[in-house]
Amino acid sequence: MDEIIKREDALFEHISKLIDEAHKHVKTTVNTAMVYTYYGVGKYIVEDEQTNKERAAYGKGVLKQLAVKLCNKYGDGWTVDTLKRCRYFYKVYGSSVIGATPLPQSEEVPQFTLSWSHYLVLMRIENADERKFYEIESRQQNWSVRQLQRQYASSLYERLALSRNKDEVMRLANEGQTVDKPSDIIKNPITLEFLGLKPDTVYTESKLEDAIISKMQQFLLELGKGFLFESRQKRFTFEEQHFFVDLVFYNRLLQCYVLIDLKIDKLTHQDLGQMQMYVNYYDRYVKQDFEKPTIGILLCKEKNDALVELTLPKDANIYASAYQLYLPDKALLQAKVKEWIEEFEENEELKQLLR
């Protein structure tokens, strides 16, 4: 029993020293410092569990006693639930944690750049590739916790993956969303649940446009990287006829205009022809020489890929993207992405065999 008490005291001392060191950091780095502290706390707990296997039967009691001591010294924040989160955080981000294998002392600590609240969301994501994607995007796009939660709930990773060539899906986990070519900004579907329009109610294209304008910040977040809003109902005149583009954006990463037309009905070849005319006008009379060709997006309730392919030339810079007024079925999209990745891996194995 004395040996057990000594081990508990040693564990307490290790963690106590770690917390004391964290408190020395200046206020501007407190949040990041605490993330590393939670990681270190989790590391000590996991190491203690792995090197003292006989204590597994009453491990909960160990955490309870540890929580009491820490709360007495540092306040009520160090509860059993907090310690469990620390342990789970380390198990998720500690690359050397494999079952009950003892941890090497030279383990490299990951680089943490987000807040603890962000990591509380991220570490609940089971798929490692998906988790890495959201971590990269949170850092690069400076997402708030609420924005991260919304993007995860809207299945951004799956929607981007399903909008891409199978060979490019694997890049998402390692690089986040890369914007190198027009197709990189396309999502299927576009999720507009934040507009507050009910799917089963009747609304006009004008009402849909008004709702988007009133929620422009959320709409820009949904569109993705590099978008700047220029105008709504942008008028241009050609041969004494007036034409109006519903929404005009500029993408600074692609250095081109992006024209969006809203369609609440089924997509028709006339819609595609009209967008082709809009894109041609902008390319010939609006864009400057250093800018890239204009992109046209038909945001419609129902898209028809076969119609788009048949109506437009292969090199057309025009895309149809369906929109939804509700969050997509995450489980269904995850299953589709898994199927794509498995097919990708099978093709890679076949290539290796044929070499």
Side-chain angles (χ1 to χ4, degrees), residues 257-305:
Y257 284 98
V258 180
L259 313 180
I260 296 182
D261 246 13
L262 306 173
K263 302 297 175 185
I264 62 171
D265 297 318
K266 191 174 181 180
L267 184 66
T268 67
H269 69 276
Q270 289 93 339
D271 297 328
L272 292 165
Q274 178 177 268
M275 177 56 78
Q276 181 71 76
M277 187 265 288
Y278 291 169
V279 167
N280 289 344
Y281 180 87
Y282 262 74
D283 279 345
R284 295 171 188 177
Y285 300 106
V286 179
K287 91 173 185 69
Q288 299 184 57
D289 292 340
F290 69 88
E291 292 176 320
K292 303 293 176 57
T294 304
I295 299 171
I297 299 176
L298 288 148
L299 197 55
C300 45
K301 203 166 188 179
E302 294 181 32
K303 77 184 188 81
N304 187 326
D305 292 328

Side-chain angles (χ1 to χ4, degrees), residues 64-282:
K64 187 175 181 180
Q65 291 302 316
L66 179 61
V68 170
K69 291 181 179 181
L70 291 173
C71 285
N72 286 338
K73 186 171 182 178
Y74 299 106
D76 296 336
W78 292 96
T79 63
V80 172
D81 286 341
T82 298
L83 296 178
K84 286 181 178 178
R85 292 189 191 101
C86 292
R87 179 174 60 187
Y88 187 66
F89 182 48
Y90 180 74
K91 287 186 175 181
V92 169
Y93 281 90
S95 59
S96 298
V97 179
I98 306 174
T101 304
L103 298 169
Q105 295 301 314
S106 60
E107 179 198 13
E108 183 179 347
V109 178
Q111 182 180 3
F112 299 120
T113 57
L114 302 172
S115 73
W116 177 239
S117 297
H118 283 87
Y119 286 110
L120 286 175
V121 177
L122 290 169
M123 66 185 181
R124 297 190 192 106
I125 302 175
E126 294 183 5
N127 183 286
D129 289 337
E130 185 179 2
R131 183 170 60 250
K132 284 164 59 181
F133 165 79
Y134 285 111
E135 185 173 4
I136 292 170
E137 289 297 303
S138 294
R139 181 176 65 252
Q140 291 182 351
Q141 302 304 306
N142 197 28
W143 285 347
S144 67
V145 175
R146 181 173 294 182
Q147 289 172 331
L148 169 59
Q149 290 171 326
R150 189 266 166 186
Q151 295 288 42
Y152 174 70
S154 71
S155 303
L156 175 62
Y157 172 76
E158 289 85 3
R159 289 185 292 130
L160 285 174
L162 293 173
S163 302
R164 277 159 170 67
N165 182 290
K166 292 183 178 69
D167 292 345
E168 296 178 344
V169 173
M170 307 305 291
R171 291 182 63 189
L172 288 173
N174 298 317
E175 302 176 25
Q177 182 187 3
T178 55
V179 180
D180 300 321
K181 56 186 183 300
S183 60
D184 289 338
I185 65 174
I186 304 301
K187 299 186 186 78
N188 279 310
I190 292 283
T191 302
L192 304 178
E193 91 293 343
F194 54 84
L195 297 182
L197 296 174
K198 295 182 178 179
D200 55 350
T201 59
V202 177
Y203 55 90
T204 63
E205 289 173 359
S206 178
K207 186 174 181 179
L208 178 61
E209 183 181 320
D210 288 339
I212 289 174
I213 295 298
S214 68
K215 301 284 187 180
M216 183 53 68
Q217 184 177 356
Q218 293 94 321
F219 188 65
L220 286 171
L221 177 66
E222 172 61 15
L223 286 180
K225 293 182 176 179
F227 278 93
L228 303 172
F229 176 58
E230 180 179 292
S231 181
R232 69 182 295 192
Q233 290 300 310
K234 181 74 172 183
R235 189 182 82 170
F236 66 88
T237 303
F238 184 72
E239 292 188 349
E240 299 182 355
Q241 281 189 296
H242 299 309
F243 301 93
F244 298 86
V245 184
D246 289 342
L247 300 169
V248 178
F249 295 86
Y250 191 85
N251 190 283
R252 60 183 181 82
L253 299 179
L254 293 175
Q255 290 189 307
C256 69
Y257 284 98
V258 180
L259 313 180
I260 296 182
D261 246 13
L262 306 173
K263 302 297 175 185
I264 62 171
D265 297 318
K266 191 174 181 180
L267 184 66
T268 67
H269 69 276
Q270 289 93 339
D271 297 328
L272 292 165
Q274 178 177 268
M275 177 56 78
Q276 181 71 76
M277 187 265 288
Y278 291 169
V279 167
N280 289 344
Y281 180 87
Y282 262 74

Side-chain angles (χ1 to χ4, degrees), residues 1-19 40-41 43-45 47-49 51-52 55 62 65-66 69-70 73-74:
M1 197 64 174
D2 290 341
E3 182 62 24
I4 293 174
I5 294 173
K6 287 180 180 179
R7 289 183 180 279
E8 290 177 350
D9 288 340
L11 181 60
F12 170 77
E13 288 301 324
H14 281 306
I15 293 175
S16 179
K17 183 178 179 181
L18 193 66
I19 297 171
V41 169
K43 178 178 184 290
Y44 279 131
I45 291 173
E47 283 182 329
D48 187 69
E49 288 177 340
T51 56
N52 296 282
R55 297 171 58 185
V62 173
Q65 291 302 316
L66 179 61
K69 291 181 179 181
L70 291 173
K73 186 171 182 178
Y74 299 106

